[in-house]
Amino acid sequence: NGVMSLSYSTEFRMEKQRMRSFLRELKLLVKGLVLVANVLPIISGFWIALYFTNTSFSALWDKFIIVAVGGTLVIAGALVLNNWYEVDLDREMHRTKERPTVTGTLSMQTILYIGIAFSAVGFIFMLFTTVEAFIYAFLGWFTYVVPYTLWTKRRTTLNTIVGSISGAFTPLIGWAVVDTALQLVPIAVFVILFLWQIPHTFAIAMRRHDDYKAAKVPMLPVVYGFDVTKRQNVLWIAAMLPFTVFLYELGIFFLVVALGINLVWLIYAIYGLFMEDNKKYADTMFYFSLSYLNIVFGLMIVLSFPIFH
């Protein structure tokens, strides 16, 4: 009995270790923080839609759970399919060397099936929200998988623009569960998120310049250099400012914070035009972009709670 008990205990530990390993590989496949950064705007879109339409959360709590799960799975599916297709690029880049597509810990067939399964189940969930929310989820998924991953990523610096369009659909998904997103506020949020992604991606491309160059990915800093990228950053960050004003109904505190962060980010981008330390510039721009996303979109959620209005 002691031997059998020891055997079961060993098998249990091995199974537990295998599960941990699989979950770790899954986290790498869905790009962890990238997934979270895309789900946050879905939740933000839902909550501010409740606020602007004066709708009670209790009336739509079930739809909230469905869109949160469905949206997460759709995004995860797109990210996994992106990893599956870009395995040859990931082999050339230091930052992607631990992905299971590169290490071979999961077979390429398994990864493809995971991507398809996540996408399919996510779309099934989205069918139980609204037709409009489903359409936005599909448009975001399709734009990321086909025009971005399969076409522009390897061919043109416009890949950043195409990828940013894909990510900008996320707040529309959340909003459309509550009400139609074909109105001023959700469209303004769509534009803000689209514009935000461009300097964010440029910062990543500058930080990982050598990786992208080795993989022959035509990112803007690789093709046209850092100076051009810096000038582009100033334009895209400045373009965000006027669209923030359309969210004035969230209150003066929101406007002050959102515009303040945007202005500080813009000032640093302008200052960066004269910096020689491109690594420091890229790192700071990257953290500025993350701070903007977390603070501004997090604040949208917080200020949409009934206690604040």
Side-chain angles (χ1 to χ4, degrees), residues 68-282:
V69 174
T72 300
L73 288 171
V74 168
I75 295 167
L79 292 170
V80 172
L81 290 173
N82 172 269
N83 271 337
W84 172 79
Y85 184 75
E86 293 185 352
V87 59
D88 58 323
L89 302 181
D90 289 344
R91 289 194 184 107
E92 303 296 328
M93 296 195 286
H94 178 76
R95 72 184 182 91
T96 55
K97 65 179 182 179
E98 292 187 1
R99 288 179 183 171
T101 48
V102 177
T103 62
T105 50
L106 294 176
S107 71
M108 293 299 293
Q109 185 178 55
T110 298
I111 292 169
L112 176 61
Y113 288 161
I114 290 173
I116 294 172
F118 277 177
S119 301
V121 175
F123 284 129
I124 291 172
F125 268 87
M126 292 304 303
L127 286 172
F128 292 92
T129 56
T130 65
V131 173
E132 190 175 342
F134 175 88
I135 290 172
Y136 294 139
F138 175 76
L139 287 174
W141 179 93
F142 177 82
T143 305
Y144 188 79
V145 173
V146 181
Y148 174 70
T149 299
L150 300 182
W151 181 35
T152 60
K153 178 70 176 284
R154 299 167 184 261
R155 292 174 173 82
T156 170
T157 58
L158 294 176
N159 57 25
T160 300
I161 307 296
V162 175
S164 297
I165 293 172
S166 171
F169 279 108
T170 49
L172 300 186
I173 296 170
W175 186 291
V177 174
V178 180
D179 192 17
T180 177
L182 299 177
Q183 46 189 307
L184 185 60
V185 173
I187 291 173
V189 177
F190 171 91
V191 175
I192 290 170
L193 191 57
F194 163 72
L195 295 171
W196 170 85
Q197 289 177 91
I198 297 171
H200 173 73
T201 304
F202 286 167
I204 294 173
M206 289 183 70
R207 298 175 82 208
R208 304 296 183 182
H209 173 273
D210 292 346
D211 273 357
Y212 284 116
K213 185 175 181 180
K216 296 182 174 60
V217 179
M219 302 302 288
L220 189 69
V222 174
V223 177
Y224 294 106
F226 288 173
D227 288 343
V228 170
T229 305
K230 288 179 178 182
R231 291 196 291 271
Q232 289 270 340
N233 274 338
V234 172
L235 297 176
W236 293 110
I237 296 169
M240 295 169 61
L241 282 167
F243 292 97
T244 307
V245 179
F246 290 116
L247 305 179
Y248 68 91
E249 288 186 53
L250 283 173
I252 188 65
F253 178 72
F254 174 82
L255 278 182
V256 169
V257 173
L259 290 173
I261 296 174
N262 201 158
L263 279 170
V264 173
W265 190 10
L266 177 59
I267 291 169
Y268 186 83
I270 295 172
Y271 171 73
L273 296 175
F274 309 98
M275 289 180 62
E276 294 184 3
D277 190 341
N278 289 319
K279 183 182 184 306
K280 181 181 178 181
Y281 167 86

